[in-house]
């Protein structure tokens, strides 16, 4: 079925392109001024009629495609934008790129959604010396709204806002679709490849909160793009190359001279690094040997390469403990992977005339950036800029990525004691949620107290709410098979205001995910899950799902449609948790 949906989506896209082209052709013929001969005029008229006929056929075909049932959840906001887009184009065909603004309403009295395009169109017309009141524009847009299954009624409010009230039957059908077919999205990213570069700690150094935050956000971002149908490659660009390895290898040779035959028992790599750094700063002879080791490493001397691998393996084992605990999936591809590609990058820049020499360095000025990239140091060595450029080229031209996302962060350092506590005594979901619920553009304070708070927008509260929702059917003695049967046969009633509010909130899930795919701000998903949980609480406090005898506890009545609303909430929350990498307790 997925293949059929993908095929229909491709046909839909192609038809939309053809309709746009044909409409432009009709406009061109209509406005053509080169009608010198009557034969030419007749030819143009005949062509015009054929184009209009073909356009009409395509529009009907397109409408049929859109009306075909689908197992996927639909983005209601996108559907409304399409409807209003058609209306605005019909009402004001001469306007180029008129504003199309459709948003969820903030208050019930303003309907479910609002179209706020009239004011912007008024301003556009004003520049054309056409003064039109925004309310008149809103009325004109409403007159041109095509028939659709989404809207029950529309109203004009204030200076020209168009309030949209959804059809209850439409919302009910979409909730049933969710319950029967599960939480699914259209394959938005089909045949598209995304590379997510995240975590990226440095070998032989501490993993601090910045790395932890990058790791958690990058994992969730990868899960979201996978759910949307993208081919995702998760890369860990570890710092596993450079001059610091010279001092580490030289220190290894001194401390464990038989390292080639006996595996060295490096218990604390942090202490080992500090020892080698101290020697590098105070012992001139050691510093010389460290630089010699760097040269041998770059020439891939077998003994030096073994020492390098030993050091990397010790770090890797420590990183993997954290990755396994947090359920992180990554492919390690560090700076060393790109060493052989750096020569080619520098040569290509030189051949294209991009390289300038500055005080012995080879630099490249990037348009719009005041600080140049240093691709070759004055001593002939390469830099982080060089390896990053080689990585970008490899990802674009070898991996053929359509999008590359770098998840980077700087934050307070996590002490050894805090890291140990995080690994052993704190619920991992709370750690993840604490990161994800904050705007990734802002810094935050690492606080166990806030993570474990069972009030407000925290994992502890949401996991409790989720468990509570999951328990409702069990307490009513309703099993999974009974729920599946009810989903197929029971109409979801949305007469109570809290039922209606909850139903609409559930169906906003695809809109939320699309926004995150656009701006990569995952805290929006956390905010949505919290809103969904609080909206559910309002519903549950006002609408009886299961009615029991107060004395005996016997179940007297089950309001099945409300029980199904509970299940829909749980299904969306579960998918949200999955994207965030949080594992709730499984239903028994």
């Amino acid at each position: 079925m997925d293949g059929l949906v993908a095929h229909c989506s491709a046909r839909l896209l192609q038809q939309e392109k053809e309709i746009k082209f044909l409409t432009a052709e009709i406009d061109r013929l209509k406005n053509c001024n080169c009608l010198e001969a009557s034969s030419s005029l007749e030819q143009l008229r005949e062509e015009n009629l054929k184009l209009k006929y073909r356009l009409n056929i395509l529009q009907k075909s397109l409408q049929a495609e859109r009306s075909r049932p689908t197992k996927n959840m639909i983005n209601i906001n996108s559907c409304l934008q399409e409807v209003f887009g058609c209306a605005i184009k019909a009402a004001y065909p001469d306007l180029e790129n008129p504003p199309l603004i459709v948003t969820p309403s903030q208050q019930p009295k303003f309907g479910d959604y609002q179209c706020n395009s009239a004011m912007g169109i008024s301003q556009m017309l004003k520049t054309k010396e056409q003064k039109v009141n925004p309310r008149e524009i809103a009325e004109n847009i409403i007159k041109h709204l095509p028939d659709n299954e989404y809207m029950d009624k529309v109203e004009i409010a204030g200076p020209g806002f168009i309030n949209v009230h959804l059809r209850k039957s439409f919302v009910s059908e979409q909730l049933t679709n969710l319950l029967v077919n599960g939480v699914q999205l259209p394959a938005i990213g089909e045949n598209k490849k995304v590379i997510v570069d995240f975590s990226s700690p440095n070998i032989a150094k501490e993993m601090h909160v910045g790395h932890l935050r990058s790791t958690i956000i990058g994992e969730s971002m990868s899960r979201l793009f996978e759910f949307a149908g993208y081919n995702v490659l998760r890369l860990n660009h570890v710092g596993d190359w450079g001059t610091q390895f010279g001092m580490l290898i030289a220190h290894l040779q001194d401390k464990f001279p038989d390292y080639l035959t006996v595996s060295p028992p490096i218990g604390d790599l942090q202490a080992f690094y500090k020892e080698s750094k101290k020697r590098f700063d105070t012992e001139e002879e050691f510093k010389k040997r460290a630089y010699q080791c760097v040269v041998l490493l770059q020439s891939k001397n077998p003994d030096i390469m073994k020492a390098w691998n030993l050091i990397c393996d010790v770090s890797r084992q420590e990183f993997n403990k954290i990755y396994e605990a947090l359920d992180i999936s990554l492919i390690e591809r560090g700076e060393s992977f790109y060493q052989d590609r750096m020569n080619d990058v520098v040569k290509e820049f030189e051949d294209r005339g991009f390289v300038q020499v500055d005080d012995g360095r080879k630099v490249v000025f990037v348009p719009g950036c005041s600080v140049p990239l240093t691709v070759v140091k004055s001593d002939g060595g390469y830099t982080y800029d060089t390896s990053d450029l080689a990585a970008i080229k490899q990802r674009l031209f070898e991996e053929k990525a359509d999008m590359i996302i770098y998840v980077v962060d700087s934050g307070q350092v996590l002490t050894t004691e805090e890291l140990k506590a995080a690994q052993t005594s704190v619920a991992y979901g709370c750690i993840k949620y604490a990161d994800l619920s904050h705007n990734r553009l802002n810094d935050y304070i690492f606080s166990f107290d806030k993570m474990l708070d069972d009030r407000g927008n925290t994992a502890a509260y949401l996991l409790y709410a989720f468990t509570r929702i999951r328990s409702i059917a069990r307490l009513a003695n309703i099993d999974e098979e009974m729920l599946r049967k009810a989903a197929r046969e029971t109409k979801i009633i949305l007469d109570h205001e809290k039922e209606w509010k909850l139903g609409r909130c559930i169906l906003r899930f695809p809109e939320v995910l699309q926004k995150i795919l656009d701006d990569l701000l995952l805290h929006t998903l956390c905010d949505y899950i919290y809103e969904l949980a609080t909206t559910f609480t309002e519903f549950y406090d006002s609408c009886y799902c299961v009615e029991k005898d107060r004395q005996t506890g016997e179940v007297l009545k089950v309001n099945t449609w409300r029980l199904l609303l509970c299940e829909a909430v749980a299904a969306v929350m579960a998918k949200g948790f999955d994207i965030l990498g949080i594992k709730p307790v499984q239903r028994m």
Side-chain angles (χ1 to χ4, degrees):
M1 185 64 185
D2 287 344
L4 180 59
V5 171
H7 175 69
C8 289
S9 297
R11 284 180 58 195
L12 202 63
L13 183 61
Q14 183 58 39
Q15 287 178 348
E16 285 176 337
K17 288 180 179 177
E18 194 169 348
I19 285 174
K20 188 174 181 180
F21 169 76
L22 291 174
T23 302
E25 282 295 291
I26 289 174
D27 291 340
R28 179 183 65 80
L29 293 172
K30 190 185 296 183
N31 298 324
C32 184
N33 295 320
C34 53
L35 307 177
E36 297 178 359
S38 59
S39 58
S40 299
L41 178 59
E42 288 303 317
Q43 186 178 350
L44 285 169
R45 284 176 174 166
E46 184 178 346
E47 186 178 350
N48 198 328
L49 286 172
K50 288 179 180 178
L51 286 171
K52 285 183 177 179
Y53 176 76
R54 178 64 179 152
L55 178 60
N56 187 45
I57 293 295
L58 281 173
Q59 286 174 330
K60 288 182 178 179
S61 176
L62 191 59
Q63 187 61 40
E65 290 280 3
R66 289 179 180 135
S67 302
R68 190 170 296 177
T70 174
K71 289 185 176 181
N72 301 316
M73 293 183 73
I74 68 169
N75 186 328
I76 296 176
N77 195 314
S78 294
C79 293
L80 293 177
Q81 285 188 34
E82 188 175 314
V83 169
F84 276 102
C86 291
I88 291 169
K89 186 175 181 181
Y92 300 97
D94 297 331
L95 282 185
E96 188 174 343
N97 297 321
L100 179 57
I101 306 168
V102 179
T103 59
S105 296
Q106 299 303 309
Q107 297 182 45
K109 65 180 181 179
F110 297 134
D112 305 312
Y113 287 83
Q114 280 187 331
C115 175
N116 303 333
S117 299
M119 283 67 75
I121 292 173
S122 177
Q123 291 299 316
M124 289 185 74
L125 292 173
K126 197 172 183 180
T127 62
K128 296 176 177 288
E129 298 183 352
Q130 300 177 39
K131 191 173 181 180
V132 186
N133 186 294
R135 282 189 69 94
E136 293 179 34
I137 294 171
E139 290 171 359
N140 196 22
I141 292 172
I142 290 174
K143 287 178 185 176
H144 289 85
L145 281 172
D147 292 337
N148 63 87
E149 61 179 320
Y150 321 117
M151 301 179 191
D152 180 43
K153 64 177 180 177
V154 292
E155 301 167 331
I156 300 174
F161 301 112
I162 301 176
N163 297 337
V164 178
H165 297 261
L166 296 176
R167 287 183 181 172
K168 287 186 177 179
S169 59
F170 166 73
V171 173
S172 177
E173 288 165 6
Q174 295 307 309
L175 290 168
T176 297
N177 178 63
L178 182 159
L179 288 161
V180 172
N181 298 307
V183 181
Q184 299 184 50
L185 288 184
I188 300 168
E190 189 174 31
N191 300 322
K192 293 180 182 177
K193 187 171 188 177
V194 175
I195 291 178
V196 186
D197 178 324
F198 64 100
S199 192
S200 308
N202 294 308
I203 295 294
K205 292 185 180 179
E206 288 181 311
M207 180 184 278
H208 60 71
V209 166
H211 292 126
L212 192 64
R213 195 175 192 199
S214 167
T215 303
I216 291 169
I217 293 174
E219 171 68 21
S220 294
M221 213 163 274
S222 300
R223 289 170 178 252
L224 172 59
F225 276 89
E226 285 167 347
F227 181 52
Y230 289 83
N231 174 16
V232 178
L233 177 60
R234 306 143 172 253
L235 294 182
N236 194 5
H237 190 79
V238 297
D240 65 353
W241 203 257
T243 54
Q244 76 271 22
F245 282 92
M247 67 183 192
L248 289 166
I249 292 168
H251 189 52
L252 180 73
Q253 291 172 329
D254 291 346
K255 196 166 184 177
F256 305 103
D258 57 351
Y259 76 90
L260 289 173
T261 55
V262 180
S263 181
I266 305 175
D268 187 347
L269 193 56
Q270 316 297 331
F272 188 85
Y273 178 87
K274 289 175 182 176
E275 290 170 8
S276 67
K277 183 69 169 68
K278 184 178 180 181
R279 293 186 65 189
F280 185 83
D281 292 338
T282 60
E283 301 176 24
E284 196 60 35
E285 186 59 34
F286 178 80
K287 181 183 283 190
K288 289 180 181 177
R289 284 202 301 114
Y291 281 126
Q292 290 171 357
C293 287
V294 173
V295 174
L296 291 171
L297 178 62
Q298 291 175 338
S299 62
K300 298 189 177 177
N301 174 280
D303 291 351
I304 298 297
M305 287 297 293
K306 180 165 185 179
W308 173 75
N309 276 311
L310 286 169
I311 294 167
C312 289
D313 283 343
V314 175
S315 261
R316 195 173 288 122
Q317 289 168 15
E318 292 303 310
F319 297 154
N320 285 340
K321 289 178 185 177
I322 296 172
Y323 295 149
E324 288 171 11
L326 295 175
D327 195 22
I328 306 296
S329 176
L330 272 167
I331 294 174
E332 184 181 307
R333 194 176 286 178
E335 294 167 7
S336 60
F337 178 85
Y338 304 101
Q339 292 306 302
D340 295 339
R341 292 171 168 80
M342 293 190 197
N343 291 327
D344 294 338
V345 168
V346 174
K347 185 178 184 303
E348 182 176 350
F349 276 23
E350 288 177 330
D351 291 344
R352 294 192 176 196
F354 296 150
V355 174
Q356 299 180 30
V357 178
D358 177 35
D359 197 22
R361 301 177 303 147
K362 291 184 178 180
V363 300
V364 175
F365 284 89
V366 179
C369 297
S370 58
V371 180
L373 299 173
T374 299
V375 293
V376 181
K377 295 187 291 186
S378 56
D379 63 3
Y382 293 136
T383 68
Y384 290 124
D385 290 342
T386 327
S387 63
D388 285 343
L389 288 167
I392 290 171
K393 183 178 180 182
Q394 190 273 338
R395 294 168 182 182
L396 289 174
F397 293 98
E398 294 181 40
E399 297 293 349
K400 301 190 183 307
D402 296 288
M403 186 189 308
I404 304 174
I405 300 171
Y406 292 86
V407 185
V408 296
D409 185 77
S410 59
Q412 72 182 93
V413 175
L414 188 63
T415 66
T416 304
E417 292 75 20
E418 285 177 326
L419 184 58
K420 185 177 180 182
Q423 293 179 51
T424 57
S425 64
V426 180
Y428 299 122
C430 294
I431 298 174
K432 289 183 175 182
Y433 196 85
D435 258 328
L436 297 166
S437 61
H438 288 79
N439 188 324
R440 63 175 172 78
L441 302 178
N442 301 333
D443 287 335
Y444 83 110
I445 303 300
F446 190 89
S447 167
F448 286 144
D449 290 338
K450 289 183 179 179
M451 288 179 186
L452 295 172
D453 196 340
D454 61 358
R455 298 161 298 175
N457 190 3
T458 65
Y461 167 75
L462 292 173
L463 288 170
Y464 165 75
F466 179 78
T467 304
R468 180 189 179 202
I469 296 167
R470 282 292 198 200
S471 70
I472 295 170
R474 185 178 70 250
L475 294 174
N477 301 316
I478 305 292
D479 60 24
E480 294 276 357
E481 182 54 41
M482 294 167 71
L483 283 171
R484 283 194 289 269
K485 185 173 186 293
R488 293 190 298 269
E489 298 175 357
T490 305
K491 180 181 178 181
I492 296 178
I493 302 169
L494 301 167
D495 291 341
H496 194 285
E497 62 173 328
K498 299 301 182 184
E499 294 171 335
W500 180 240
K501 183 179 180 181
L502 182 60
R504 289 181 294 125
C505 188
I506 293 167
L507 296 183
R508 278 188 29 239
F509 189 51
E511 299 173 25
V512 171
L513 297 188
Q514 183 60 61
K515 183 180 185 301
I516 302 169
L517 288 170
D518 292 337
D519 63 23
L520 305 180
L521 295 172
L522 279 161
H523 72 276
T524 305
L525 177 55
C526 298
D527 292 343
Y528 167 76
I529 296 174
Y530 178 63
E531 179 190 349
L532 184 59
T534 54
T535 303
F536 169 80
T537 299
E538 291 179 21
F539 155 79
Y540 193 68
D541 289 344
S542 303
C543 304
Y544 288 113
C545 298
V546 180
E547 298 180 34
K548 293 184 177 183
D549 186 289
R550 293 187 178 182
Q551 294 182 339
T552 65
E554 179 186 358
V555 175
L556 301 177
K557 181 181 180 183
V558 175
N559 294 316
T560 308
W561 77 93
R562 289 176 177 166
L563 205 60
L564 290 175
L565 276 173
C566 297
E567 287 300 302
V569 171
V572 169
M573 287 185 75
K575 177 50 68 176
F577 285 145
D578 181 60
I579 291 170
L580 297 174
I582 295 172
K583 291 184 177 180
V585 177
Q586 295 297 312
R587 178 156 47 180
M588 301 301 290

